[in-house]
Amino acid sequence: QNIPTHLPSLHTHTPITMAPPKTLLDKIVYAIRQQPAASANGVSRAAIVKYLSAEFNVDKTKAASKKAFKDGVSKGILIQTGQSFRVKGDKVPEVAEEPKVTIEELKEGKGPAAESGDTVTVKYEGKLTDGTIFDSAKSFEFTLGAGEVIKGWDQGIAGMKVGGKRKLFVPSKLGYGKRGAAPEIPPNADLQFEVKLKSIE
């Protein structure tokens, strides 16, 4: 039995969304949808241009790409906020807010404030939220902002002055996270520290 040759090609059933982007504006839309948004405003122009260069060999310096961005906005296809773009009608990206340390100033110190790169010496006591003390030291030295300690300390001790005292409430993500620090600190534990800044070098 002869196979009929007039059957429609399978390609006719391919969804429109799967069609390869042809115009530069199509490619920009495609690039936005393929990348995780850095904020609710969408994807940065730099990230889009980088993607276009890598995936479609679009020259980064082309004035055409600038025009395509502009056309996309003027035609109502793209929404621009600052230097970020998203596709109109697409769901606004949900970007989780970065956790922050809550600082309670117990005593203001004197002199210059501790900055990233300074070597600082502190006295501290660390507690779990149930009040269990898991660590303490009369003198502990580290370089601020160098990643030598948990992120909560790099954030919470910056700006302190010698003689100053702070209470830091450190969310798990800025502490020891999902892994914890066995056996003292369980996974996903929020932490509290009372810190006194003894010296800055």
Side-chain angles (χ1 to χ4, degrees):
Q1 191 179 355
N2 291 331
I3 298 169
T5 55
H6 61 273
L7 285 177
S9 161
L10 289 173
H11 293 297
T12 58
H13 299 290
T14 306
I16 294 169
T17 50
M18 296 298 287
K22 290 178 183 176
T23 69
L24 194 48
L25 181 53
D26 286 345
K27 288 173 183 176
I28 289 170
V29 169
Y30 184 87
I32 292 170
R33 287 175 171 163
Q34 292 301 310
Q35 297 185 84
S39 74
N41 295 332
V43 182
S44 73
R45 184 193 292 265
I48 297 166
V49 169
K50 191 176 177 183
Y51 187 94
L52 293 176
S53 175
E55 294 294 317
F56 302 113
N57 292 321
V58 174
D59 186 355
K60 290 181 185 180
T61 58
K62 268 192 178 176
S65 64
K66 284 186 180 179
K67 185 178 183 299
F69 277 112
K70 202 172 178 182
D71 288 350
V73 174
S74 64
K75 288 176 183 174
I77 296 167
L78 303 177
I79 296 172
Q80 180 176 3
T81 309
Q83 289 301 308
S84 293
F85 296 83
R86 61 186 180 88
V87 182
K88 191 173 184 180
D90 282 7
K91 191 179 174 187
V92 175
E94 290 178 11
V95 180
E97 273 192 44
E98 277 296 306
K100 288 182 181 171
V101 175
T102 303
I103 297 168
E104 187 183 323
E105 204 81 52
L106 300 177
K107 184 187 175 186
E108 181 82 27
K110 292 180 181 179
E115 297 176 353
S116 187
D118 287 342
T119 299
V120 296
T121 303
V122 298
K123 176 186 178 183
Y124 73 92
E125 182 178 82
K127 293 180 182 179
L128 301 176
T129 48
D130 66 2
T132 305
I133 296 171
F134 62 83
D135 194 15
S136 65
K138 288 184 177 178
S139 185
F140 177 74
E141 184 182 285
F142 68 98
T143 304
L144 190 60
E148 293 178 4
V149 291
I150 58 172
K151 287 181 182 177
W153 269 35
D154 276 340
Q155 281 187 21
I157 292 173
M160 284 186 80
K161 297 172 183 176
V162 174
K165 204 172 180 183
R166 279 181 180 176
K167 193 176 271 190
L168 308 178
F169 299 89
V170 180
S172 167
K173 273 192 172 181
L174 298 178
Y176 294 93
K178 292 178 182 176
R179 295 166 74 177
E184 298 90 354
I185 302 169
N188 301 311
D190 294 334
L191 309 172
Q192 297 174 14
F193 291 93
E194 203 164 287
V195 182
K196 181 181 179 182
L197 182 60
K198 296 176 76 176
S199 69
I200 301 173
E201 288 177 27

